[in-house]
Amino acid sequence: NNTLNGMDRIDPNLRDEMLVELFLDQMVSDFKRSKILERIGYSLKSKDKEAFLRLTEELKSVP
């Protein structure tokens, strides 16, 4: 909330651009996370421990 309150003083066009960028960054992170989770599920089904460990590490690096 403090971030959005402070954005009232920023040029409206710049503010909109920043909000769109934040939104897109979040969408990309969510997409990456969901794809990795799908692959983790597959690794569990196929009992691929190596892939599971690699993917869980990869998941930790997604912002």
Side-chain angles (χ1 to χ4, degrees):
N1 269 345
N2 289 338
T3 302
L4 293 177
N5 291 337
M7 292 185 79
D8 290 340
R9 294 175 289 221
I10 298 175
D11 176 83
N13 291 330
L14 180 59
R15 183 187 64 221
D16 291 347
E17 186 177 319
M18 291 169 66
L19 288 173
V20 167
E21 189 170 336
L22 287 170
F23 174 77
L24 290 175
D25 286 347
Q26 185 63 50
M27 294 301 296
V28 168
S29 289
D30 290 349
F31 179 77
K32 285 179 182 179
R33 191 175 295 108
S34 71
K35 289 298 175 186
I36 294 170
L37 288 170
E38 283 178 21
R39 291 167 49 206
I40 287 173
Y42 181 76
S43 72
L44 288 170
K45 285 180 186 176
S46 62
K47 298 179 181 171
D48 185 345
K49 183 178 179 180
E50 185 178 307
F52 173 80
L53 294 173
R54 180 177 43 79
L55 290 165
T56 53
E57 284 303 313
E58 188 177 333
L59 183 62
K60 291 177 189 177
S61 71
V62 176

